[in-house]
Amino acid sequence: MDYSQFLILKEELSLIAVIVILFVADLFMSPDAHKKDGNPRLNTMLPVVLLTIHTLITIIPGPAADAFGGMYHNAPIQSIVKSILSVGTLIVFLMAHEWLKRPDTVIKQGEFYMLTLSTLLGMYFMISAGHFLMFFIGLETASIPMAALVAFDKYRHHSAEAGAKYILTALFSSGLLLYGISLIYGTVGTLYFDDIPAHLDGSALQIMAFVFFFSGMGFKLSLVPFHLWTADVYEGAPSVVTAYLSVISKGSAAFVLMTILIKTFAPMVDQWQEILYWVIIASITLANLFALRQENLKRLMAFSSISQAGYIMLGVIAGTQQGMASLVYYVLIYMFANLSVFAVITIIALRAQRFTLEEYNGLYSTNPKLAFLMTLALFSLAGIPPFAGFFSKFFIFAAAFQGGFHLLVFIALVNTIISLYYYLKIVKSMYINKSDEPIATFRSDNYTRASLVICTLGIIVLSLASVVYQSIDKFSFGLN
């Protein structure tokens, strides 16, 4: 066996090293082993530093290469997506500092970091998979620890119920997906992505195999009609876990779905584009309509994420190089904007102990900087120019339009106008609505401020630097 091929897995090996170091460090930094004044000691700096080093080491894409007989494939675009996910995870760690300071969570800080990085490792393998077995192993490695994260606050905010709903939904969706993969193997006799297209002829069994596979991925992406778990899980999970689930998990699944459709199901492009067409319309429209009715901010953001998943699928349905570039660019901007919103939700909830929109009444009068940063993020999510979200929507609409989906783009544009209502409803609460007891003026911890600064800089810089999109486009690929 050629052991040098392990060097191709530089992102995975680097992340495993981070996990091992944190695992060993947690043995010595746990409350029983290291106490200060009789209290557990919180250590956020170590995972932040290690993950920063990991990101810097792996941020420069390497050449395309295969390992383990083609089961693992890494190309520059995969490395770019992994770096985006690493940056997002780093922001989540910064956001989690104040939450982890609570007496009931400080003793579980090591478990939080281990579970989060384990899901990230699974996403890495899923992104670089060249074989359905490698893909499924990566998918389950990412999904199972996520259920534990969702149930992390098992005595608060229905977190245990949310964890149960998530794991049951994940099991059901994995069963559907695995059944689809088994049908694919039964009809073509191979699970290698590059070998499958030569054996696809669009038979009824192969179409059914794709439907099962897509249904399983639809659950992971919370696309309509596979979205029913999303609002309850987002509401019950800890806010930082909800942020991670809504951005990092969704972004990796969207990219992997597009890669598999382009590499594996290219001969069935007419069939999967038709399915995606109706799923996109349903996801964007229904999610926006349900979001209009929400007063709980986490449920509102849950339906917002379903709608955003529909927009992301516009890049997938195009199936072009431009579509992939716009998808990755959209995920990058969505990551900064959505994590910024959830950073504010997290620190407000730690003080108000509630997630209702009413808690944000008069926030500008007591915490103007926080309200301003929240507004920037919401404007970006809504796609209001000149913020970065406008350009991400423009590129992804352009990709779908050039793919010939003119009516679909028009429907998406109409829904963008609808989404303005519920995003601006939050802004109205902060700036216009009055409250007899607004959230008192407070000062966030340095880690939370750092996460907000990174997110805000990302929103501003990406609205000015077109070179980012051009760099992504250079490494993207599509249907031949």
Side-chain angles (χ1 to χ4, degrees), residues 15 21 24 164 325 332 341 463 478:
L15 187 57
I21 293 172
V24 174
L332 175 62
V341 170
S463 64

Side-chain angles (χ1 to χ4, degrees), residues 250-251 254 307-316 327 330-331 334 396:
K250 192 181 297 292
S307 175
Q308 297 288 353
Y311 288 121
I312 292 172
M313 289 298 103
L314 289 172
V316 178
L327 182 149
Y330 194 102
V331 168
Y334 174 61
I396 212 157

